[in-house]
Amino acid sequence: MKKLSNRQRYQKSRPMSDVRQSARLELCAAAILSIALLGCSGPEPASAARTSDGVLAGGGQGVAASPGGAGALDMAGSMQVASLQAVAPVASDGAGKDETVKLITPPHARQALLEAYEAKKDKDWDQLQTVLQDAASDPVLGAYPEYWALHHALIDQNQSIPADRIRDFIQRNAGSYLADRLKGDWIITATREGNYALAASLAPLVNSNSSELCALLLAQHMTGQTVSASEALDTFKPNRDCWSMLDGLASAKVVGWDQLEPALREILETNKIGNARRMAALMFDGREMADFNAIMKNPKRWLSRQKKPEGRAQTELVTIALSRMAYGDDRIPNAGYVQAQWAGRLPKSNMEWVWSQFGLVAALNVELDAAKWYRRSGSGPMTDYNHAWRVRAELRQPTIDWKQVHGAILRMSDRQAAEPVWMYWDGRALAALGKQADAVRKYQAIAHELDFYGQLASEELGYTPSLPPAPRPVTQAELKEARANPGLQRAIAMFDLGWRPDAVYEWSYAIRGLNDRQLRAAAEVARQEHIYDRVVNTSLLTQGEIDFSQRFIAPFEGRVTAKARLINLDPAWVYGLIRQESRFIMNARSHVGASGLMQLMPATARWVAKKIGMVDFTLASVNDFETNTILGTNYLNMVLQDLNGSEVLATAGYNAGPRRPMQWRSKLAAPVEGAIFAETIPFTETRLYVKHVMSNATYYAMLFTGQPQSLKSRLGTVRPEPDRKVDLP
């Protein structure tokens, strides 16, 4: 029988035939399948437990690190050594390592569980019912088949809802992730069926997504409880249940033009026309909606038939039409048309928003005239998204007008202006304007943040960021308590079976509300189990005790470093990139099909394999450690060389394709700091990715060398160069 700590835990979903075969072999080899897991519930913030919390929902063939020292890495520094250990130092407190309670899983129960899982995947609900009783006797995961059956009963319109069984399940599993999830499912179903009293009675939820919250808000409104417009709009996401909630509140006049108009404009700024049309239908009547649809097809043609608008609806339609003139290749002549034909026919605030849309579209195309349009938008209210791009447009100017930067940040809401990114750039603006004391206060407010802008703020204060002191190691008693958490037990068992999405939800729910010591102990359990993404994400939640050996874990016994050094790549940068790409999940797979530690697309992997002469390459091997890291580091190096050795550009190219940073660089009018280039990347995913990778790399360099490191130096300067053809995929 395998020891749990040696099992590989990286499969997103191992083929069930493999799981079954493995189970049969173990059942034949032993009378029972015992799982060394211990028990007690605990809980990540509510918003994270029902999402993948930023980590790709993948997993693969894990590499079990040796439980001893730093392995093959020849790097200095006691902090770094601890970070590279497969199992971090644990304080001795007299608690014996073997003092465990084993939960005995009967062979027939685990086999039935696997069959229930297969039946759920195949939507064979009769088969699920056949094995349900035996599957439910699994002491660790037995609640799952019962949940699957009850969830299906809730959404199957051909079945009556088994209310008594659902209430019994929730009561028996009180405090668990599945009980809370089933309550959320029931709230959605009850609200959709008009049983508002039942839905409202099921509140509160410990953890919830937008669909559940919107359904609950509608149920509360329909049962006479007060629901505010701000609460509704803050909760809203464009899904079925939120649209229903908004429909109900709009009909009841709880939300009206004052709330819907900015919501519609916010959607239009993202250019999601279907969602915009749905929001517009809450504001406009049938004739006005015909106008809205015509505007979305051809705004200039529609405008050519309009006179000076009368009334709020017509004024808003003309405003929207003028804003749509910012899109497409004719923005400059369209701006002339807007100014000549309409500038005096709309209220000033409406025209200011129109010009902000010209600024936004230009900024997203990294065009220098974006700042010009934004300056015409005055001081009118804008969305957070648009405020941010107004600042970025100023930062890309060949000579930065820091007064404009400061003024743009002043127009933000207090909440947005307090974000580290804008605190930093406001500090830079204040320093440039000679207000050094004010600038220092801005930097000091964020210098403690262990991220991109916290590091940069530290450097502006005159010291190079270094590692925080290592906290006291977790004790054996604390580890034992973590292993006694039923939610973590379930999560570990599901990681072992390859049920990664549900395992992540279970884990996140289980660590909700834990203190720093408990979080570090849970992260340490994840390290011992080689579930590296949970090590990082759990440790990131601590507030007072900062354990870089967990947050910046460097697994695989130095083999990543070896691959990097073979081609003269900085190992810290490679580790920083992998931490962001896959969180060290070997078989991670993105929504676009990228695979493995370094998230290679199949076509890219095939191209690189051919380029470097990898004769034994197959697509099936892309997730293998050796294949993935050889191909990934070689491709990263090719991108780096093609982009003049700039890690900032190469990181952007690795995420968005090497063609794009070439284009963004070509539109610069003068050299810019690497931080400015990173902050003004027009793709949100790539912008965040670059900042995370570069910050990660700086911290890994500290760990690997034991020396302070400068993020600003690593970012360097990006200089304008002509656009050119890129041969890389």
Side-chain angles (χ1 to χ4, degrees):
M1 192 181 305
K2 299 175 184 175
K3 292 182 180 178
L4 187 66
S5 61
N6 290 332
R7 293 179 186 170
Q8 298 175 335
R9 307 202 185 282
Y10 304 98
Q11 291 83 354
K12 178 177 180 180
S13 53
R14 281 162 53 194
M16 287 309 300
S17 59
D18 294 348
V19 174
R20 284 174 164 168
Q21 181 64 25
S22 174
R24 291 190 186 105
L25 290 173
E26 291 193 4
L27 294 176
C28 293
I32 60 171
L33 176 66
S34 55
I35 299 180
L37 302 166
L38 298 164
C40 168
S41 105
E44 189 170 64
S47 62
R50 297 291 281 274
T51 71
S52 61
D53 62 3
V55 180
L56 294 171
Q61 296 281 356
V63 179
S66 64
L73 278 176
D74 53 341
M75 298 173 180
S78 59
M79 290 286 299
Q80 166 263 333
V81 170
S83 78
L84 302 178
Q85 290 175 336
V87 180
V90 176
S92 175
D93 57 1
K97 291 185 179 180
D98 295 325
E99 293 177 15
T100 60
V101 177
K102 294 184 182 295
L103 298 177
I104 306 303
T105 302
H108 73 279
R110 181 49 55 96
Q111 184 61 39
L113 177 77
L114 298 176
E115 292 174 2
Y117 180 80
E118 192 78 351
K120 186 260 298 187
K121 281 179 57 183
D122 295 340
K123 295 182 171 52
D124 188 343
W125 305 112
D126 291 338
Q127 174 62 16
L128 177 59
Q129 289 294 334
T130 299
V131 299
L132 185 58
Q133 186 172 353
D134 284 343
S137 66
D138 186 302
V140 181
L141 299 177
Y144 270 83
E146 190 176 0
Y147 166 77
W148 298 331
L150 292 173
H151 173 78
H152 174 66
L154 276 173
I155 63 175
D156 184 359
Q157 295 184 348
N158 295 319
Q159 293 189 49
S160 58
I161 294 176
D164 291 341
R165 286 172 52 205
I166 293 174
R167 291 189 189 279
D168 178 62
F169 181 93
I170 292 171
Q171 185 174 4
R172 282 187 288 108
N173 295 278
S176 72
Y177 163 66
L178 283 183
D180 196 57
R181 183 170 174 178
L182 189 59
K183 279 177 65 177
D185 296 340
W186 203 4
I187 286 171
I188 289 175
T189 298
T191 300
R192 288 178 180 178
E193 294 184 349
N195 193 344
Y196 302 118
L198 171 61
S201 73
L202 294 171
L205 291 172
V206 175
N207 204 60
S208 54
N209 58 34
S210 62
S211 290
E212 294 163 351
L213 285 176
C214 285
L216 185 56
L217 285 177
L218 178 58
Q220 290 170 338
H221 166 72
M222 296 300 289
T223 54
Q225 299 180 52
T226 300
V227 175
S228 69
S230 61
E231 187 178 12
L233 270 298
D234 287 346
T235 304
F236 177 80
K237 294 288 185 297
N239 58 51
R240 172 183 173 180
D241 298 291
C242 287
W243 284 122
S244 295
M245 178 267 293
L246 216 52
D247 285 341
L249 296 184
S251 296
K253 310 298 183 186
V254 174
V255 296
W257 264 83
D258 288 344
Q259 295 81 35
L260 295 174
E261 180 186 86
L264 174 58
R265 289 183 178 186
E266 185 171 3
I267 294 173
L268 285 167
E269 288 181 351
T270 65
N271 210 26
K272 295 178 179 176
I273 303 305
N275 291 337
R277 186 174 288 113
R278 184 73 172 79
M279 184 67 72
L282 297 174
M283 300 167 56
F284 300 125
D285 63 24
R287 182 176 180 179
E288 292 160 354
M289 276 305 298
D291 284 335
F292 181 86
N293 291 328
I295 289 168
M296 292 300 106
K297 289 180 180 178
N298 192 324
K300 193 168 186 178
R301 180 185 300 166
W302 182 85
L303 284 164
S304 68
R305 301 193 296 266
Q306 306 305 311
K307 299 178 181 179
K308 183 175 181 177
E310 296 181 1
R312 191 171 189 179
Q314 196 64 19
T315 298
E316 184 62 19
L317 286 167
V318 170
T319 302
I320 291 170
L322 294 174
S323 77
R324 301 306 294 176
M325 300 288 282
Y327 292 81
D329 297 330
D330 296 327
R331 184 162 53 257
I332 301 302
N334 283 351
Y337 166 80
V338 171
Q339 177 63 33
Q341 301 296 321
W342 290 96
R345 300 164 70 184
L346 283 182
K348 180 182 176 183
S349 61
N350 291 63
M351 283 306 304
E352 287 179 338
W353 184 73
V354 169
W355 292 127
S356 81
Q357 300 310 291
F358 276 81
L360 176 62
V361 175
L364 292 172
N365 283 282
V366 291
E367 295 173 359
L368 290 176
D369 62 356
K372 174 185 69 176
W373 301 121
Y374 271 125
R375 291 177 190 181
R376 296 185 69 173
S377 69
S379 57
M382 296 193 296
T383 62
D384 285 356
Y385 182 67
N386 212 356
H387 275 303
W389 277 108
R390 181 169 185 169
V391 178
R392 294 181 185 123
E394 294 292 347
L395 290 174
R396 275 187 73 95
Q397 295 304 297
T399 300
I400 299 174
D401 186 336
W402 289 105
K403 186 176 180 180
Q404 290 286 345
V405 172
H406 177 59
I409 294 172
L410 279 179
R411 295 183 186 98
M412 293 178 170
S413 66
D414 291 344
R415 179 194 55 76
Q416 185 182 13
E419 294 172 5
V421 51
W422 309 123
M423 291 285 281
Y424 173 78
W425 289 114
D426 201 21
R428 290 288 303 277
L430 289 165
L433 295 171
K435 299 179 180 181
Q436 195 61 38
D438 291 337
V440 167
R441 281 192 286 272
K442 295 284 185 180
Y443 298 144
Q444 288 175 335
I446 61 171
H448 65 283
E449 301 284 350
L450 300 171
D451 59 12
F452 188 83
Y453 282 111
Q455 289 169 284
L456 290 178
S458 294
E459 294 193 52
E460 294 298 333
L461 289 170
Y463 55 89
T464 305
S466 58
L467 298 175
R472 179 171 55 89
V474 296
T475 65
Q476 291 292 346
E478 288 168 328
L479 286 173
K480 183 177 179 180
E481 180 187 2
R483 284 193 174 275
N485 184 315
L488 298 187
Q489 292 176 11
R490 288 188 289 271
I492 291 170
M494 287 190 287
F495 279 119
D496 193 46
L497 291 171
W499 301 358
R500 169 162 281 277
D502 279 322
V504 168
Y505 297 146
E506 254 319 336
W507 185 282
S508 298
Y509 192 89
I511 63 175
R512 178 181 45 84
L514 298 187
N515 63 36
D516 281 4
R517 298 292 300 177
Q518 292 168 322
L519 287 167
R520 287 185 55 228
E524 210 53 57
V525 168
R527 189 203 305 257
Q528 292 173 357
E529 301 294 341
H530 312 301
I531 314 172
Y532 297 127
D533 64 315
R534 295 303 98 194
V535 179
V536 175
N537 285 38
T538 303
S539 190
L540 281 170
L541 297 174
T542 64
Q543 299 296 314
E545 295 197 6
I546 309 301
D547 189 342
F548 265 49
S549 78
Q550 295 176 339
R551 292 190 178 196
F552 291 89
I553 191 170
F556 309 118
E557 300 172 292
R559 290 187 291 159
V560 171
T561 295
K563 295 294 186 296
R565 286 181 170 168
L566 280 173
I567 52 176
N568 296 317
L569 276 184
D570 177 9
W573 182 40
V574 176
Y575 263 108
L577 185 140
I578 294 175
R579 183 181 185 270
Q580 194 59 30
E581 283 284 0
S582 66
R583 283 290 199 265
F584 306 105
I585 304 169
M586 289 281 292
N587 204 30
R589 189 171 182 83
S590 76
H591 67 284
V592 295
S595 297
L597 283 176
M598 298 190 71
Q599 289 291 282
L600 292 167
M601 293 294 289
T604 302
R606 189 183 294 111
W607 184 90
V608 177
K610 183 177 180 181
K611 196 78 172 175
I612 66 173
M614 183 181 281
V615 294
D616 57 347
F617 170 78
T618 65
L619 280 180
S621 69
V622 171
N623 287 337
D624 295 343
F625 177 90
E626 291 293 321
T627 301
N628 193 271
T629 52
I630 289 172
L631 296 178
T633 54
N634 272 277
Y635 179 66
L636 182 60
N637 191 45
M638 293 173 190
V639 176
L640 180 68
Q641 299 308 316
D642 204 46
L643 290 165
N644 306 109
S646 167
E647 287 186 3
V648 170
L649 291 172
T651 303
Y654 196 90
N655 178 263
R659 181 84 180 89
R660 290 195 174 99
M662 197 87 71
Q663 292 173 323
W664 301 331
R665 179 180 65 179
S666 72
K667 292 186 178 182
L668 291 170
V672 298
E673 301 170 25
I676 289 178
F677 185 88
E679 185 54 52
T680 58
I681 290 172
F683 295 176
T684 300
E685 177 189 320
T686 304
R687 181 172 63 256
L688 296 175
Y689 175 88
V690 169
K691 291 191 286 187
H692 283 308
V693 169
M694 299 305 290
S695 176
N696 292 348
T698 306
Y699 280 129
Y700 275 115
M702 294 182 204
L703 287 164
F704 293 168
T705 66
Q707 300 296 319
Q709 300 285 319
S710 168
L711 173 59
K712 205 163 188 175
S713 296
R714 183 177 286 272
L715 292 169
T717 299
V718 177
R719 302 181 183 281
E721 290 192 19
D723 197 7
R724 59 177 172 79
K725 182 180 178 182
V726 177
D727 294 327
L728 297 171

